[in-house]
mmCIF file of all heavy atoms in Angstrom:
data_model
loop_
_atom_site.group_PDB
_atom_site.id
_atom_site.type_symbol
_atom_site.label_atom_id
_atom_site.label_comp_id
_atom_site.label_asym_id
_atom_site.label_seq_id
_atom_site.Cartn_x
_atom_site.Cartn_y
_atom_site.Cartn_z
ATOM 1 N N MET A 1 -83.062 -104.905 -83.770
ATOM 2 C CA MET A 1 -82.882 -103.891 -82.758
ATOM 3 C C MET A 1 -84.095 -102.973 -82.772
ATOM 4 O O MET A 1 -84.482 -102.455 -83.802
ATOM 5 C CB MET A 1 -81.615 -103.102 -83.081
ATOM 6 C CG MET A 1 -81.470 -101.832 -82.338
ATOM 7 S SD MET A 1 -79.772 -101.312 -82.547
ATOM 8 C CE MET A 1 -79.893 -99.626 -82.813
ATOM 9 N N SER A 7 -88.355 -88.989 -79.389
ATOM 10 C CA SER A 7 -87.542 -87.897 -78.871
ATOM 11 C C SER A 7 -86.784 -87.146 -79.966
ATOM 12 O O SER A 7 -85.918 -86.336 -79.665
ATOM 13 C CB SER A 7 -86.549 -88.446 -77.847
ATOM 14 O OG SER A 7 -85.725 -89.422 -78.449
ATOM 15 N N ASP A 8 -87.072 -87.425 -81.221
ATOM 16 C CA ASP A 8 -86.362 -86.762 -82.312
ATOM 17 C C ASP A 8 -86.715 -85.278 -82.362
ATOM 18 O O ASP A 8 -87.868 -84.895 -82.144
ATOM 19 C CB ASP A 8 -86.711 -87.421 -83.653
ATOM 20 C CG ASP A 8 -86.311 -88.882 -83.683
ATOM 21 O OD1 ASP A 8 -85.131 -89.160 -83.419
ATOM 22 O OD2 ASP A 8 -87.174 -89.724 -83.962
ATOM 23 N N ARG A 21 -90.688 -84.348 -87.922
ATOM 24 C CA ARG A 21 -89.852 -85.141 -87.015
ATOM 25 C C ARG A 21 -89.591 -86.472 -87.686
ATOM 26 O O ARG A 21 -90.500 -87.080 -88.245
ATOM 27 C CB ARG A 21 -90.559 -85.357 -85.690
ATOM 28 C CG ARG A 21 -90.738 -84.034 -84.924
ATOM 29 C CD ARG A 21 -91.495 -84.219 -83.667
ATOM 30 N NE ARG A 21 -90.585 -84.761 -82.670
ATOM 31 C CZ ARG A 21 -90.973 -85.154 -81.469
ATOM 32 N NH1 ARG A 21 -92.229 -85.079 -81.123
ATOM 33 N NH2 ARG A 21 -90.102 -85.629 -80.612
ATOM 34 N N ARG A 23 -89.295 -90.120 -87.290
ATOM 35 C CA ARG A 23 -89.792 -91.038 -86.264
ATOM 36 C C ARG A 23 -89.045 -92.360 -86.257
ATOM 37 O O ARG A 23 -88.903 -92.986 -85.225
ATOM 38 C CB ARG A 23 -91.288 -91.283 -86.455
ATOM 39 C CG ARG A 23 -92.116 -90.039 -86.253
ATOM 40 C CD ARG A 23 -91.760 -89.368 -84.976
ATOM 41 N NE ARG A 23 -92.904 -88.724 -84.388
ATOM 42 C CZ ARG A 23 -92.976 -88.359 -83.133
ATOM 43 N NH1 ARG A 23 -91.969 -88.580 -82.327
ATOM 44 N NH2 ARG A 23 -94.029 -87.768 -82.674
ATOM 45 N N ASN A 29 -82.907 -100.081 -89.292
ATOM 46 C CA ASN A 29 -83.366 -101.190 -90.134
ATOM 47 C C ASN A 29 -82.507 -101.361 -91.388
ATOM 48 O O ASN A 29 -83.013 -101.764 -92.427
ATOM 49 C CB ASN A 29 -84.845 -101.008 -90.500
ATOM 50 C CG ASN A 29 -85.096 -99.695 -91.191
ATOM 51 O OD1 ASN A 29 -84.436 -99.373 -92.180
ATOM 52 N ND2 ASN A 29 -86.040 -98.922 -90.692
ATOM 53 N N PHE A 35 -89.435 -93.389 -91.371
ATOM 54 C CA PHE A 35 -90.735 -92.752 -91.183
ATOM 55 C C PHE A 35 -90.504 -91.319 -90.751
ATOM 56 O O PHE A 35 -89.645 -91.045 -89.902
ATOM 57 C CB PHE A 35 -91.550 -93.438 -90.077
ATOM 58 C CG PHE A 35 -92.364 -94.607 -90.526
ATOM 59 C CD1 PHE A 35 -91.969 -95.893 -90.197
ATOM 60 C CD2 PHE A 35 -93.518 -94.434 -91.259
ATOM 61 C CE1 PHE A 35 -92.721 -96.981 -90.578
ATOM 62 C CE2 PHE A 35 -94.284 -95.522 -91.660
ATOM 63 C CZ PHE A 35 -93.882 -96.805 -91.313
ATOM 64 N N PRO A 52 -86.018 -91.197 -106.376
ATOM 65 C CA PRO A 52 -86.136 -92.642 -106.587
ATOM 66 C C PRO A 52 -86.889 -93.390 -105.485
ATOM 67 O O PRO A 52 -87.389 -94.490 -105.716
ATOM 68 C CB PRO A 52 -84.691 -93.132 -106.676
ATOM 69 C CG PRO A 52 -83.829 -92.030 -106.188
ATOM 70 C CD PRO A 52 -84.630 -90.761 -106.236
ATOM 71 N N PHE A 57 -97.994 -92.064 -97.833
ATOM 72 C CA PHE A 57 -98.503 -91.013 -96.951
ATOM 73 C C PHE A 57 -99.763 -91.515 -96.252
ATOM 74 O O PHE A 57 -100.692 -91.984 -96.910
ATOM 75 C CB PHE A 57 -98.896 -89.774 -97.768
ATOM 76 C CG PHE A 57 -97.772 -89.152 -98.539
ATOM 77 C CD1 PHE A 57 -97.378 -89.667 -99.771
ATOM 78 C CD2 PHE A 57 -97.111 -88.033 -98.058
ATOM 79 C CE1 PHE A 57 -96.350 -89.088 -100.501
ATOM 80 C CE2 PHE A 57 -96.084 -87.453 -98.774
ATOM 81 C CZ PHE A 57 -95.700 -87.972 -99.999
ATOM 82 N N TYR A 64 -105.785 -82.776 -98.013
ATOM 83 C CA TYR A 64 -104.733 -82.430 -98.956
ATOM 84 C C TYR A 64 -105.217 -82.601 -100.391
ATOM 85 O O TYR A 64 -106.074 -83.449 -100.667
ATOM 86 C CB TYR A 64 -103.519 -83.349 -98.776
ATOM 87 C CG TYR A 64 -102.723 -83.106 -97.529
ATOM 88 C CD1 TYR A 64 -103.031 -83.749 -96.329
ATOM 89 C CD2 TYR A 64 -101.624 -82.247 -97.543
ATOM 90 C CE1 TYR A 64 -102.284 -83.539 -95.184
ATOM 91 C CE2 TYR A 64 -100.867 -82.033 -96.400
ATOM 92 C CZ TYR A 64 -101.209 -82.680 -95.235
ATOM 93 O OH TYR A 64 -100.455 -82.465 -94.111
ATOM 94 N N PHE A 73 -105.857 -85.397 -107.048
ATOM 95 C CA PHE A 73 -106.902 -86.041 -106.255
ATOM 96 C C PHE A 73 -106.794 -85.561 -104.813
ATOM 97 O O PHE A 73 -105.749 -85.066 -104.384
ATOM 98 C CB PHE A 73 -106.792 -87.573 -106.331
ATOM 99 C CG PHE A 73 -105.439 -88.101 -105.932
ATOM 100 C CD1 PHE A 73 -105.170 -88.467 -104.622
ATOM 101 C CD2 PHE A 73 -104.433 -88.235 -106.883
ATOM 102 C CE1 PHE A 73 -103.921 -88.945 -104.260
ATOM 103 C CE2 PHE A 73 -103.177 -88.714 -106.524
ATOM 104 C CZ PHE A 73 -102.922 -89.070 -105.207
ATOM 105 N N ASP A 79 -106.902 -91.468 -95.014
ATOM 106 C CA ASP A 79 -106.525 -91.967 -96.341
ATOM 107 C C ASP A 79 -105.037 -92.291 -96.388
ATOM 108 O O ASP A 79 -104.234 -91.733 -95.648
ATOM 109 C CB ASP A 79 -106.843 -90.937 -97.428
ATOM 110 C CG ASP A 79 -108.332 -90.794 -97.697
ATOM 111 O OD1 ASP A 79 -109.118 -91.676 -97.287
ATOM 112 O OD2 ASP A 79 -108.712 -89.780 -98.324
ATOM 113 N N VAL A 83 -96.976 -93.160 -103.520
ATOM 114 C CA VAL A 83 -96.330 -92.494 -104.643
ATOM 115 C C VAL A 83 -95.094 -93.318 -105.019
ATOM 116 O O VAL A 83 -94.118 -93.339 -104.263
ATOM 117 C CB VAL A 83 -95.940 -91.041 -104.292
ATOM 118 C CG1 VAL A 83 -95.210 -90.389 -105.458
ATOM 119 C CG2 VAL A 83 -97.169 -90.230 -103.896
ATOM 120 N N ALA A 96 -108.084 -75.366 -93.149
ATOM 121 C CA ALA A 96 -107.929 -74.034 -92.545
ATOM 122 C C ALA A 96 -106.961 -74.070 -91.370
ATOM 123 O O ALA A 96 -106.562 -73.028 -90.855
ATOM 124 C CB ALA A 96 -109.292 -73.518 -92.093
ATOM 125 N N ARG A 100 -101.583 -82.907 -90.793
ATOM 126 C CA ARG A 100 -100.455 -83.782 -90.458
ATOM 127 C C ARG A 100 -100.489 -85.067 -91.273
ATOM 128 O O ARG A 100 -101.562 -85.589 -91.592
ATOM 129 C CB ARG A 100 -100.482 -84.143 -88.975
ATOM 130 C CG ARG A 100 -100.268 -82.966 -88.063
ATOM 131 C CD ARG A 100 -100.159 -83.327 -86.584
ATOM 132 N NE ARG A 100 -101.098 -84.343 -86.145
ATOM 133 C CZ ARG A 100 -100.754 -85.554 -85.674
ATOM 134 N NH1 ARG A 100 -99.498 -85.922 -85.578
ATOM 135 N NH2 ARG A 100 -101.689 -86.402 -85.285
ATOM 136 N N LEU A 104 -93.931 -92.976 -94.872
ATOM 137 C CA LEU A 104 -92.928 -94.025 -95.017
ATOM 138 C C LEU A 104 -92.122 -93.713 -96.267
ATOM 139 O O LEU A 104 -92.711 -93.430 -97.328
ATOM 140 C CB LEU A 104 -93.603 -95.390 -95.183
ATOM 141 C CG LEU A 104 -92.694 -96.527 -95.645
ATOM 142 C CD1 LEU A 104 -91.914 -97.083 -94.471
ATOM 143 C CD2 LEU A 104 -93.494 -97.610 -96.329
ATOM 144 N N ILE A 105 -90.800 -93.754 -96.164
ATOM 145 C CA ILE A 105 -89.918 -93.542 -97.306
ATOM 146 C C ILE A 105 -89.077 -94.810 -97.465
ATOM 147 O O ILE A 105 -88.389 -95.220 -96.519
ATOM 148 C CB ILE A 105 -89.001 -92.321 -97.100
ATOM 149 C CG1 ILE A 105 -89.830 -91.066 -96.828
ATOM 150 C CG2 ILE A 105 -88.076 -92.134 -98.302
ATOM 151 C CD1 ILE A 105 -89.010 -89.859 -96.380
ATOM 152 N N LEU A 132 -82.424 -75.008 -106.109
ATOM 153 C CA LEU A 132 -83.005 -76.200 -105.483
ATOM 154 C C LEU A 132 -82.433 -77.464 -106.110
ATOM 155 O O LEU A 132 -82.098 -78.423 -105.416
ATOM 156 C CB LEU A 132 -84.528 -76.198 -105.617
ATOM 157 C CG LEU A 132 -85.295 -75.333 -104.635
ATOM 158 C CD1 LEU A 132 -86.775 -75.319 -104.988
ATOM 159 C CD2 LEU A 132 -85.089 -75.815 -103.214
ATOM 160 N N GLY A 145 -90.883 -77.884 -110.436
ATOM 161 C CA GLY A 145 -91.709 -76.687 -110.538
ATOM 162 C C GLY A 145 -92.161 -76.222 -109.177
ATOM 163 O O GLY A 145 -91.798 -76.800 -108.151
#
Side-chain angles (χ1 to χ4, degrees):
M1 166 166 138
S7 59
D8 299 306
R21 294 177 79 186
R23 295 310 213 162
N29 57 53
F35 273 107
F57 299 82
Y64 288 89
F73 55 92
D79 288 344
V83 177
R100 295 186 319 117
L104 167 81
I105 303 170
L132 280 174

